[in-house]
Amino acid sequence: MDGDLVLEWLSFRGHGRLSDVTSTVAALMNGLPHARTKAARAYLRRLEGLGHLDLLWSESKWRIRPTVLTQLPGSSAFALVIGKRTAELEDRLEANVVLHKVEPPNSGTASLGDPGILLVEYDSEAELMELAANAGASFIPCAALSMAANLPLLGPGPRSAGPNAYGSAVEMFNVSQREFSHVEAFRRDGLYRQTVNRRPQYWLFRSGIWSLTSYAEGMCLTMSEVDSKCLQLKILEDVEDPIGTLRVNAALPLPVQHRQALTLCSGVNPVKSPGGSWTYDNVPNSVALAVARSVHQHLQVR
């Protein structure tokens, strides 16, 4: 079963429990049960990053996103199709426009690749809007740019009582070793985690105040204090809003809305480079700068 069939199956299902969809996808993976489950969760996150579905971890649910046609940055000829994808949708699009399904780069996942990148050719925005309406889809002018423009400045979450001293083991993130380690006392400023109801819970402790956070947001806030040069943009096309390749240090896990803003620049998930960074293609300077500012990083441009 390839990525296209997985996305078509998810589109048919529409929504459901995370445990159910994880089990189904895990059955397609290689390896031991625990490894397959971990790989399935990672794969679902890849589909989320591509804009096809939402993973509602706090509710233990998932849902497919509505079909959207959106322009690619720097292109006046191709639009990306994201969200719900069925054979009927592809037939309707193909009947009215030139449709391309591009093979994605190797994801490094031995069992399951990403779905094909679905692109439509268009001559004008008006034509694209009409095409979307006829296909039962929505039209968003360059979702990557609009998402980037609305990224919030990350900060600590709501105040909290902090980890439960009588619960499971508490770990603190060690910024020098880049890993979590067990701590007996947890009154130093930093990022902490504890397993609560079989799921990791994260807190930031700053100046005597505990705040709830997520893994990605907590890591971004913590890493910004020791390394603010985790994003580098290499300009490849010097236009009004220069476009290039963005490298993100693998030690900096971006929140999902930031990953989507970058991924929707090309419709392709980032590729891990030998140097230990994630590479995003076709990223405008404005998008890269908005992401960097949001996660408290200084964008390096070359």
Side-chain angles (χ1 to χ4, degrees):
M1 195 175 195
D2 62 17
D4 290 315
L5 290 177
V6 171
L7 181 54
E8 187 173 348
W9 175 75
L10 291 169
S11 299
F12 175 76
R13 290 289 301 274
H15 61 88
R17 295 190 303 177
L18 268 173
S19 56
D20 292 341
V21 73
T22 301
S23 297
T24 301
V25 175
L28 306 173
M29 301 290 183
N30 299 325
L32 298 173
H34 176 72
R36 292 202 302 267
T37 299
K38 185 177 180 180
R41 289 174 181 154
Y43 185 77
L44 291 171
R45 289 190 183 97
R46 292 180 68 85
L47 295 183
E48 183 183 37
L50 290 169
H52 295 311
L53 51 79
D54 292 316
L55 301 176
L56 311 173
W57 296 102
S58 61
E59 302 174 32
S60 298
K61 297 178 181 178
W62 69 275
R63 65 188 175 206
I64 199 75
R65 285 190 162 194
T67 307
V68 168
L69 272 62
T70 186
Q71 295 153 315
L72 292 170
S75 173
S76 58
F78 294 100
L80 183 65
V81 183
I82 58 174
K84 184 178 180 180
R85 188 192 295 180
T86 62
E88 291 76 16
L89 170 73
E90 293 190 29
D91 288 342
R92 287 198 299 271
L93 290 173
E94 206 159 22
N96 294 286
V97 73
V98 177
L99 186 66
H100 302 271
K101 183 175 286 186
V102 181
E103 189 74 18
N106 191 327
S107 65
T109 303
S111 308
L112 209 53
D114 290 343
I117 305 152
L118 203 60
L119 300 170
V120 297
E121 287 190 26
Y122 71 97
D123 294 320
S124 68
E125 190 171 290
E127 178 193 4
L128 198 54
M129 293 173 66
E130 183 180 357
L131 177 65
N134 291 338
S138 300
F139 167 68
I140 297 178
C142 198
L145 291 176
S146 64
M147 286 189 71
N150 290 289
L151 289 174
L153 182 66
L154 295 188
R159 289 195 179 189
S160 168
N164 181 357
Y166 301 101
S168 60
V170 177
E171 297 176 304
M172 180 182 180
F173 183 69
N174 186 313
V175 292
S176 61
Q177 298 179 1
R178 299 290 198 269
E179 63 181 21
F180 283 89
S181 56
H182 174 69
V183 289
E184 294 291 345
F186 32 96
R187 301 299 295 178
R188 288 184 295 153
D189 284 6
L191 177 64
Y192 292 80
R193 75 178 178 189
Q194 183 181 40
T195 300
V196 179
N197 296 325
R198 294 183 295 179
R199 288 193 54 79
Q201 179 74 63
Y202 296 88
W203 295 266
L204 279 172
F205 186 65
R206 288 182 170 177
S207 303
I209 297 174
W210 287 102
S211 301
L212 282 171
T213 189
S214 66
Y215 170 68
E217 293 189 3
M219 286 291 291
C220 285
L221 292 169
T222 302
M223 286 291 294
S224 67
E225 298 173 353
V226 295
D227 187 357
S228 61
K229 298 180 180 179
C230 292
L231 278 72
Q232 296 184 350
L233 181 66
K234 181 180 181 181
I235 301 298
L236 300 177
E237 188 177 351
D238 193 10
V239 289
E240 182 178 354
D241 188 3
I243 292 176
T245 298
L246 181 70
R247 294 186 183 276
V248 181
N249 190 317
L252 188 76
L254 296 177
V256 62
Q257 64 267 37
H258 299 70
R259 288 190 287 113
Q260 286 179 345
L262 295 173
T263 300
L264 292 179
C265 292
S266 64
V268 180
N269 266 313
V271 176
K272 188 80 170 286
S273 70
S277 60
W278 291 102
T279 301
Y280 294 85
D281 292 326
N282 197 50
V283 180
N285 180 75
S286 61
V287 172
L289 187 59
V291 170
R293 286 174 174 169
S294 177
V295 298
H296 303 272
Q297 291 285 321
H298 296 294
L299 180 66
Q300 310 296 300
V301 180
R302 56 190 179 91

